[in-house]
Amino acid sequence: MPAHPLLAMPHAAAAGPRLAAPLHTPATTVPCLVRGAMCPRGSFLNQQQRPRRLLPAAAAAKPGAIGSAAEAAAAPAEGLARSLQGVEVFDLSGKAVPVVDLWKDRKAVVAFARHFGCVLCRKRADLLAAKQDAMEAAGVSLVLIGPGTVEQAKAFSDQTKFKGEVYADPNYSSYHALEFANGLFSTFTPSAGLKIIQLYREGYRQDWELSFEKNTRTKGGWYQGGLVVAGPGINNISYIHKVTASYAESLRSKLRPDASILASLRALASASSKSKPAGTSSAAAKALTADDPTSANSSYIVVADQDITSVTSRINRLVLSVARSILEGRGFSFSVPSRTSTNQVYLPELDRIVLLRRESARPFASVGTARKATVTARVLSLVHAVLRRGIHVTKRDLFYTDVKLFGDQSQSDAVLDDVSCMLGCTRSSLHVVASEKGVVVGRLIFADDGDRIDCTRMGVGGKAIPPNIDRVSGIESDALFILLVEKDAAFMRLAEDRFYNRFPCIILTAKGQPDVATRLFLRRLKVELKLPVLALVDSDPYGLKILSVYMCGSKNMSYDSANLTTPDIKWLGVRPSDLDKYRVPEQCRLPMTDHDMKVGKEMLEEDFVKQNEGWVKELETMLRTKQKAEIQALSSFGFQYLTEVYLPLKLQQEDWI
């Protein structure tokens, strides 16, 4: 850590005679551990002592120049003085004194403490007291301002050797005006403990009561101190020393009041409720609402939800047609829609992936398809039995009914999708579901099989999204948007911070690759509540692939894309351009592997990506920089940075694609 310089008054006439002896001041951080509180970086509280002029001769001869080792950029003295206009502190008698009056008619060195009970503050006060005679001889007044009450200021004055002027700032008004750095992570450093131990060995003690009176804790928080050299004259500020807040923390100051952000979100929600759903052209609408989704008139397959009676009847007709084929001597064979990758295409007019209507024979008499035809017949039999009983089973249950025949669950799962295509119904209509995976939390109330669920009372873990979406009814919400999150870790942060109360929303995640139930649930929320959907995913090719599955479907489930996709999702973050925009540290970014690069380039060739210029630019940025980052990279600025700064600022700026 660099040593702190000593402050020497400038040679300029406006600054008065040069000090006979230098005053020790800091240029680095000194935390102060007091029940988790720390002494400020960049205040006068550091113990480092090393002679060095803070201002070059040219700057010293120019009244109004401002600079420090911690803040190199100069700031206009008049603007600084203007920001202090109207700010008052209180002397030991309780009299209010304008801050600028402290140097209006004299030269003064004004030091700002972290708090009055700080052990490091007391050490620094003694060091300053040792220089008081030299200061007075130079015609410079020594002033100390601290956050807290007048009583706290009196106690500090009585308990230390510091005999300069002491003022109280109970509301941190001067700290706010001077924009001193603040925040837990900007003050808490590992070196703090060692410094505290050193001072305790020297006999200094923390005044706990003085440190933790309510005014100190609730009205300031983790503000750091600083030092100002000024006067005579309100605008004659020749020097200010303060630690500049990190760029990440400085973004916090750009946030408008929540009411302003909420107004923008209400406008977004209103526009979403009036917009026409994607994929509702006349041709698409006709296909999506056809009485018979399996009609050969359609060039692609569109399955639909069917009740038990309808699905059972379709199975019966299918089995009868197979029996008739056998009796007529044509053999035992199924006509199955082809679900090969070449048959799964993206249709721009629908903005989703669909399965083209092409079929292939699956005869029992062929060596190549005999086993698969048998598995198909077995799955049809099992589904028929489940529907007759009116129950639901999982895909895992189905597999374990005949492990030797199926061999592997992927085999029974694939045939289950084939059966869904053959019958023209959704997979959920077969009453075979996947295990629970997705979770939801926030401003949402619904009934799950008759049980009323309030998602604001589900804790950090949220409510598991029911695998049987047909059980969900009575959906109610006062949310302004739906926040779709890729990962469970980000979901937990949002849930624990009750982000949905600050910005009314519904938060859901599938904990990675989206399952069918979560996709169905999201679409249903979108259709019934007519809310905008904003997505938060990792800044890597896989985050985008996950987002694309929600938006335009997966090839594996292309036959059911009409029910599973939510096309108009807005990509909120974390985007490749955000890594530089929010200055995510290099150590929190990851180099893209060769496979990452390959996946990214393949995505650029996808038709649904080419439709969106914003996506193309972000992918090109990712491939150019060869860097990726997870949502958790934002935690480098603080564990709650995601909910307190990043997302609010994104919503305020309407920064989405």
Side-chain angles (χ1 to χ4, degrees):
M1 182 178 289
H4 265 264
L6 299 179
L7 174 65
M9 291 298 294
H11 291 290
R18 186 178 181 180
L19 294 181
L23 172 68
H24 299 290
T25 61
T28 60
T29 302
V30 180
C32 163
L33 288 171
V34 187
R35 292 186 191 173
M38 314 277 297
C39 208
R41 295 192 297 180
S43 72
F44 64 103
L45 308 176
N46 197 312
Q47 298 181 68
Q48 299 289 339
Q49 302 177 34
R50 178 181 173 188
R52 192 179 85 183
R53 289 183 58 82
L54 288 180
L55 295 175
K62 185 177 179 181
I66 297 175
S68 78
E71 184 182 69
E78 289 187 10
L80 187 61
R82 193 181 309 115
S83 68
L84 289 167
Q85 290 291 336
V87 175
E88 295 181 333
V89 292
F90 299 86
D91 64 19
L92 298 184
S93 68
K95 178 184 177 182
V97 178
V99 169
V100 293
D101 282 4
L102 298 178
W103 59 80
K104 181 174 67 173
D105 300 317
R106 60 180 181 176
K107 297 179 291 291
V109 172
V110 183
F112 294 81
R114 172 63 175 85
H115 53 84
F116 286 122
C118 168
V119 62
L120 287 175
C121 297
R122 291 161 181 271
K123 170 68 174 181
R124 182 52 58 185
D126 286 352
L127 293 174
L128 288 171
K131 303 297 179 183
Q132 189 162 349
D133 291 343
M135 298 284 285
E136 291 179 350
V140 178
S141 298
L142 186 58
V143 179
L144 184 144
I145 297 174
T149 63
V150 172
E151 289 70 24
Q152 287 175 292
K154 288 180 181 178
F156 175 87
S157 182
D158 293 339
Q159 295 171 7
T160 65
K161 299 176 183 178
F162 183 81
K163 300 306 175 186
E165 300 172 22
V166 179
Y167 294 86
D169 185 354
N171 297 318
Y172 277 74
S173 300
S174 56
Y175 291 71
H176 295 162
L178 290 169
E179 297 182 348
F180 285 141
N182 69 90
L184 175 64
F185 291 94
S186 64
T187 54
F188 189 86
T189 68
S191 63
L194 296 176
K195 293 182 181 297
I196 294 297
I197 292 172
Q198 177 185 343
L199 291 188
Y200 265 70
R201 287 177 177 174
E202 294 179 15
Y204 287 91
R205 293 293 180 268
Q206 174 79 36
D207 188 324
W208 299 101
E209 183 178 354
L210 207 59
S211 297
F212 293 101
E213 286 190 10
K214 62 180 181 180
N215 284 346
T216 302
R217 288 189 293 173
T218 62
K219 292 187 178 179
W222 303 91
Y223 268 93
Q224 302 187 40
L227 185 138
V228 172
V229 179
I234 291 176
N235 293 326
N236 186 18
I237 300 175
S238 54
Y239 175 80
I240 180 172
H241 176 74
K242 65 177 181 178
V243 172
T244 304
S246 68
Y247 178 76
E249 285 298 322
S250 70
L251 292 177
R252 191 186 301 269
S253 64
K254 296 182 179 181
L255 286 172
R256 298 197 300 264
D258 286 358
S260 176
I261 302 176
L262 289 171
S264 298
L265 289 174
R266 290 190 187 95
L268 175 66
S270 177
S272 179
S273 67
K274 298 175 183 177
S275 63
K276 186 178 181 181
T280 54
S281 64
S282 58
K286 183 177 180 180
L288 293 176
T289 59
D291 293 333
D292 184 3
T294 62
S295 170
N297 294 328
S298 175
S299 61
Y300 53 88
I301 295 175
V302 180
V303 300
D305 286 323
Q306 303 288 331
D307 58 26
I308 292 177
T309 302
S310 178
V311 177
T312 303
S313 176
R314 287 169 184 261
I315 294 176
N316 292 337
R317 290 201 303 268
L318 178 60
V319 172
L320 285 174
S321 67
V322 170
R324 187 178 299 112
S325 176
I326 295 174
L327 293 173
E328 292 174 354
R330 289 183 282 113
F332 173 16
S333 178
F334 291 108
S335 181
V336 182
S338 173
R339 295 195 301 113
T340 60
S341 58
T342 56
N343 206 32
Q344 298 159 345
V345 299
Y346 172 79
L347 291 186
E349 59 269 26
L350 295 177
D351 195 19
R352 57 181 171 83
I353 297 172
V354 299
L355 182 65
L356 296 180
R357 185 171 295 282
R358 292 173 187 159
E359 296 183 344
S360 61
R362 187 172 291 178
F364 180 74
S366 170
V367 175
T369 59
R371 182 178 176 278
K372 209 159 190 180
T374 304
V375 172
T376 303
R378 181 60 170 150
V379 169
L380 280 167
S381 174
L382 291 171
V383 169
H384 191 269
V386 168
L387 293 172
R388 285 184 61 188
R389 289 172 175 80
I391 61 175
H392 288 78
V393 298
T394 66
K395 293 192 295 183
R396 193 68 173 169
D397 290 329
L398 195 75
F399 165 68
Y400 272 104
T401 60
D402 205 332
V403 175
K404 287 187 177 180
L405 173 63
F406 297 141
D408 185 86
Q409 187 179 334
S410 62
Q411 299 294 318
S412 58
D413 286 354
V415 171
L416 187 66
D417 288 331
D418 290 340
V419 167
S420 181
C421 290
M422 292 165 63
L423 300 175
C425 67
T426 61
R427 200 172 69 190
S428 58
S429 297
L430 302 178
H431 282 212
V432 182
V433 299
S435 300
E436 293 181 347
K437 181 183 178 184
V439 288
V440 60
V441 75
R443 308 293 275 267
L444 176 68
I445 295 174
F446 64 90
D448 182 2
D449 203 19
D451 296 326
R452 184 178 172 83
I453 306 296
D454 184 347
C455 292
T456 62
R457 301 177 181 273
M458 292 293 107
V460 176
K463 169 69 174 76
I465 294 174
N468 309 334
I469 300 301
D470 55 343
R471 299 187 324 195
V472 174
S473 61
I475 296 177
E476 303 174 19
S477 178
D478 64 349
L480 297 177
F481 64 99
I482 299 169
L483 183 59
L484 175 63
V485 183
E486 175 186 350
K487 289 185 173 177
D488 192 34
F491 178 89
M492 290 177 62
R493 175 79 278 129
L494 291 158
E496 186 174 40
D497 290 353
R498 300 295 192 272
F499 185 78
Y500 51 81
N501 284 335
R502 182 179 177 189
F503 301 105
C505 64
I506 300 168
I507 307 170
L508 76 160
T509 181
K511 302 179 182 179
Q513 191 67 31
D515 59 312
V516 170
T518 303
R519 292 161 65 187
L520 284 170
F521 191 69
L522 174 63
R523 179 170 178 87
R524 185 159 174 188
L525 292 180
K526 171 67 178 177
V527 171
E528 293 194 21
L529 299 177
K530 295 181 173 57
L531 293 174
V533 182
L534 307 178
L536 179 66
V537 299
D538 288 341
S539 177
D540 62 26
Y542 307 101
L544 297 188
K545 284 184 75 69
I546 286 173
L547 181 53
S548 70
V549 169
Y550 281 110
M551 294 178 66
C552 63
S554 63
K555 291 186 175 181
N556 186 50
M557 297 290 291
S558 57
Y559 64 89
D560 198 12
S561 61
N563 302 296
L564 294 174
T565 56
T566 307
D568 49 348
I569 298 176
K570 302 181 189 326
W571 183 11
L572 186 65
V574 174
R575 302 205 302 271
S577 59
D578 287 345
L579 302 189
D580 286 339
K581 180 178 179 179
Y582 289 86
R583 300 186 185 177
V584 174
E586 287 293 330
Q587 64 268 24
C588 297
R589 308 184 190 189
L590 299 171
M592 291 180 65
T593 64
D594 292 341
H595 184 66
D596 292 333
M597 296 293 291
K598 179 183 177 183
V599 174
K601 291 175 181 178
E602 288 174 350
M603 288 204 68
L604 273 177
E605 298 303 317
E606 294 284 358
D607 290 333
F608 65 85
V609 172
K610 294 178 180 179
Q611 299 292 317
N612 193 318
E613 184 180 350
W615 275 55
V616 172
K617 288 182 179 179
E618 292 291 347
L619 270 169
E620 289 176 343
T621 297
M622 185 188 300
L623 294 172
R624 184 182 67 255
T625 60
K626 298 182 179 180
Q627 289 183 326
K628 61 182 180 179
E630 298 183 2
I631 301 170
Q632 284 66 44
L634 297 169
S635 296
S636 61
F637 303 125
F639 294 119
Q640 294 178 298
Y641 188 79
L642 172 69
T643 57
E644 293 183 353
V645 179
Y646 179 78
L647 286 179
L649 198 58
K650 280 276 188 176
L651 295 175
Q652 172 181 303
Q653 297 174 344
E654 300 183 11
D655 184 16
W656 51 67
I657 296 176

